[in-house]
Amino acid sequence: MTDVRDMQRVIISPSTRFFTETVEVGRISPLSFFEAGASQYKDKRFYWQNADKTLTLVGIGHAYILANGKTDGRFEDISDQWKQLCSILIKEEKDIDPVLFGGFSFDEDNRKVSEWDGFPSGYFVVPSFQLKIEEGKTLVSINMITNRKEAAADFERLREERDKLIHIAQVEEFDFANQNQIIATTERGKKQYLKAVENATDSIRKGKADKVVIARAIELQFEHDVNSVKALHAITNEQQESYQFGLQIGDSLFFGATPERLIEIKNGKAYSACVAGSIRRGKSAQEDRALGEELLGDRKNREEHQHVVSMISNIFHKYCSEVLIPKAPKLMKIRDIQHLYTSVEGTLGKENDIFSFVQALHPTPALGGVPTDVALEIIRQEEGMDRGYYAGPIGWTDASGNGEFAVAIRSALLMSDRAYLYAGGGIVADSVPELEYDETWVKFRPVLRALGGKLNG
């Protein structure tokens, strides 16, 4: 019989069927379930928890992989493949929808030989075993996509594997403490970053663009290989107000805790968030309040924020009806930083799915710039690195069209005993390279701390 770990190697044909089955179980720690799959599915797992902690998803194994290396049409391609799979789905009323989880690279026209070589333009998986915690219920589903005549026997074996994973997650004791040591920290291209900010500012002053986001990276080397679940456990504790995610591709884990939602679709409603403009947290409540008021009144940050609001609101007016947008931003306060925040809501048009929004919204001015095409060209020319999935869309959708994508900032790529951390900021006409550099350290801090490091800049 085919090993359950190889069942994703199936060619969709008229005889292919998509089976799912859901059971409700007692309480399970989602990270314990994630770790229960470590021995057999170490490179085939994902983790997601939304910002308000009302939904947690864990995937183990691959029932199917949707991936492409496209520059053009990559969003439509994943959407079309998912619709094709959903059209052959067989489920009972008690069974919850299967989930598709994954992400896209930031800019497929700027790929370079780098740590991101194993990450395609778009990569999504249907998990063989799917944990969903929502509304006080813990549900575990089996997903199987097959054209084998032995489907019934294969599914029974998956039930046995499911029960084994549940038992391990409920009974085993896992040590999530991070005892690894960072032995080296390397700033990659600091001089190039400062020069890129200077050049971007010069281009903006000459009227070529209104805003350009310039990012940089640091590299950490550890004494031992970094444990994926320990990194996820640390970041979930560090950044409880954010979206937490982890996506394994091969031996690499892309993970982080981002404050920025790109798009959510729920029961015919679409929601987004404009997050741009930032300042540090204060050391006291009084200082924190003063800094927040300074941010709300700062012209540079308000202009940067308004670029994002304008872009996202235009897209919502195109794809939705009954669009609701507050007139002024609020403050979003997370552990290390506070942002300007404006919510956007609309009623979804029937002809659009979540990938239509992802394509239209990415990259937002908060991660690319204004105008988008010009800003991307400046980034490609000046930044000097492949962002990979950093600042790209990451998230999930289900067979009913619900789903949520976040912008993958405050993130890192783990590869064995190394980690690559990424951070950037919006450059406008009066940006100062040294101040922008200092701000990136504030944005490095959450992941750096989760991995056992200390801020030194």
Side-chain angles (χ1 to χ4, degrees), residues 11-155:
I11 298 174
I12 300 297
S13 69
S15 63
T16 306
R17 294 294 180 267
F18 185 173
F19 299 101
T20 190
E21 178 184 88
T22 303
V23 295
E24 185 173 355
V25 299
R27 287 179 176 265
I28 296 179
S29 159
L31 286 176
S32 293
F33 189 74
F34 182 92
E35 186 66 358
S39 61
Q40 294 191 62
Y41 306 97
K42 184 177 181 180
D43 59 344
K44 299 174 182 177
R45 297 178 292 173
F46 69 75
Y47 179 88
W48 170 271
Q49 187 172 73
N50 64 3
D52 58 11
K53 304 297 177 285
T54 58
L55 175 69
T56 304
L57 297 170
V58 178
I60 296 175
H62 293 163
Y64 205 78
I65 298 173
L66 306 183
N68 62 45
K70 295 176 177 287
T71 300
D72 298 320
R74 56 186 180 146
F75 303 100
E76 299 99 321
D77 179 59
I78 297 295
S79 176
D80 291 344
Q81 290 187 68
W82 178 233
K83 289 174 182 175
Q84 183 182 8
L85 284 179
C86 291
S87 71
I88 58 173
L89 175 63
I90 298 171
K91 67 187 285 287
E92 296 183 7
E93 188 174 344
K94 69 177 181 63
D95 299 319
I96 63 172
D97 281 329
V99 163
L100 180 75
F101 182 89
F104 295 96
S105 63
F106 177 80
D107 181 8
E108 204 51 32
D109 285 327
N110 195 36
R111 296 304 292 263
K112 297 175 170 60
V113 176
S114 71
E115 62 271 16
W116 294 103
D117 288 350
F119 283 67
S121 173
Y123 182 89
F124 288 80
V125 299
V126 181
S128 298
F129 308 99
Q130 171 185 312
L131 174 76
K132 182 178 184 180
I133 302 176
E134 187 178 31
E135 297 179 351
K137 292 184 177 181
T138 302
L139 304 167
V140 177
S141 299
I142 297 169
N143 300 313
M144 185 176 78
I145 299 169
T146 184
N147 51 24
R148 283 167 45 84
K149 294 179 180 179
E150 304 87 348
D154 289 340
F155 205 87

Side-chain angles (χ1 to χ4, degrees), residues 188-204:
R188 302 170 75 189
K190 176 182 175 180
K191 290 182 179 179
Q192 181 166 355
Y193 168 80
L194 293 170
K195 185 64 176 176
V197 173
E198 181 182 331
N199 290 344
T201 303
D202 185 58
S203 295
I204 292 166

Side-chain angles (χ1 to χ4, degrees), residues 408-427:
I409 55 176
R410 312 294 190 273
S411 55
L413 180 65
L414 301 182
M415 300 180 70
S416 302
D417 63 347
R418 295 181 184 272
Y420 303 88
L421 283 62
Y422 309 88
I427 310 305

Side-chain angles (χ1 to χ4, degrees), residues 31-333:
L31 286 176
S32 293
F33 189 74
F34 182 92
E35 186 66 358
S39 61
Q40 294 191 62
Y41 306 97
K42 184 177 181 180
D43 59 344
K44 299 174 182 177
R45 297 178 292 173
F46 69 75
Y47 179 88
W48 170 271
Q49 187 172 73
N50 64 3
D52 58 11
K53 304 297 177 285
T54 58
L55 175 69
T56 304
L57 297 170
V58 178
I60 296 175
H62 293 163
Y64 205 78
I65 298 173
L66 306 183
N68 62 45
K70 295 176 177 287
T71 300
D72 298 320
R74 56 186 180 146
F75 303 100
E76 299 99 321
D77 179 59
I78 297 295
S79 176
D80 291 344
Q81 290 187 68
W82 178 233
K83 289 174 182 175
Q84 183 182 8
L85 284 179
C86 291
S87 71
I88 58 173
L89 175 63
I90 298 171
K91 67 187 285 287
E92 296 183 7
E93 188 174 344
K94 69 177 181 63
D95 299 319
I96 63 172
D97 281 329
V99 163
L100 180 75
F101 182 89
F104 295 96
S105 63
F106 177 80
D107 181 8
E108 204 51 32
D109 285 327
N110 195 36
R111 296 304 292 263
K112 297 175 170 60
V113 176
S114 71
E115 62 271 16
W116 294 103
D117 288 350
F119 283 67
S121 173
Y123 182 89
F124 288 80
V125 299
V126 181
S128 298
F129 308 99
Q130 171 185 312
L131 174 76
K132 182 178 184 180
I133 302 176
E134 187 178 31
E135 297 179 351
K137 292 184 177 181
T138 302
L139 304 167
V140 177
S141 299
I142 297 169
N143 300 313
M144 185 176 78
I145 299 169
T146 184
N147 51 24
R148 283 167 45 84
K149 294 179 180 179
E150 304 87 348
D154 289 340
F155 205 87
E156 187 58 38
R157 292 174 61 231
L158 287 172
R159 288 189 179 112
E160 294 175 3
E161 185 79 359
R162 173 201 64 199
D163 294 344
K164 176 183 175 183
L165 291 168
I166 292 170
H167 181 265
I168 292 172
Q170 290 179 331
V171 174
E172 293 287 333
E173 294 185 5
F174 297 105
D175 178 14
F176 295 142
N178 180 21
Q179 298 176 338
N180 211 344
Q181 297 294 320
I182 298 173
I183 59 177
T185 301
T186 304
E187 292 193 61
R188 302 170 75 189
K190 176 182 175 180
K191 290 182 179 179
Q192 181 166 355
Y193 168 80
L194 293 170
K195 185 64 176 176
V197 173
E198 181 182 331
N199 290 344
T201 303
D202 185 58
S203 295
I204 292 166
R205 288 172 178 166
K206 291 178 179 178
K208 296 180 180 179
D210 296 319
K211 173 188 173 183
V212 180
V213 178
I214 299 296
R216 70 186 189 97
I218 60 174
E219 179 180 343
L220 308 179
Q221 184 177 353
F222 296 84
E223 186 177 4
H224 310 290
D225 287 358
V226 181
N227 182 285
S228 296
V229 75
K230 291 182 178 181
L232 286 170
H233 178 262
I235 200 71
T236 55
N237 286 338
E238 288 286 345
Q239 300 292 308
Q240 297 189 16
E241 313 90 341
S242 299
Y243 294 87
Q244 286 120 24
F245 63 88
L247 174 63
Q248 289 194 298
I249 300 181
D251 294 332
S252 300
L253 174 76
F254 179 52
F255 84 107
T258 173
E260 186 166 347
R261 175 174 61 192
L262 185 66
I263 182 68
E264 178 185 12
I265 293 178
K266 186 174 183 179
N267 300 327
K269 293 281 189 177
Y271 307 88
S272 189
C274 309
V275 181
S278 59
I279 200 166
R280 65 180 176 86
R281 296 299 303 270
K283 295 181 180 180
S284 66
Q286 183 178 6
E287 183 188 19
D288 199 60
R289 185 168 56 253
L291 287 168
E293 291 173 356
E294 178 185 339
L295 178 61
L296 286 167
D298 183 72
R299 183 179 61 84
K300 170 188 175 292
N301 280 288
R302 287 295 290 266
E303 287 181 359
E304 181 181 343
H305 186 78
Q306 189 56 42
H307 286 313
V308 181
V309 173
S310 298
M311 180 265 204
I312 292 179
S313 64
N314 287 339
I315 290 169
F316 264 63
H317 282 293
K318 178 180 178 181
Y319 287 105
C320 297
S321 59
E322 302 176 12
V323 178
L324 300 175
I325 306 172
K327 292 182 179 179
K330 298 180 179 179
L331 292 174
M332 173 190 284
K333 294 175 180 279

Side-chain angles (χ1 to χ4, degrees), residues 372-430:
T372 302
D373 291 346
V374 176
L376 288 176
E377 283 302 320
I378 294 174
I379 291 169
R380 291 165 189 158
Q381 179 178 344
E382 301 291 347
E383 202 171 74
M385 72 174 187
D386 181 356
R387 291 189 183 185
Y389 280 33
Y390 163 70
I394 190 164
W396 64 275
T397 187
D398 66 19
S400 295
N402 297 311
E404 190 165 24
F405 277 76
V407 180
I409 55 176
R410 312 294 190 273
S411 55
L413 180 65
L414 301 182
M415 300 180 70
S416 302
D417 63 347
R418 295 181 184 272
Y420 303 88
L421 283 62
Y422 309 88
I427 310 305
V428 292
D430 55 355

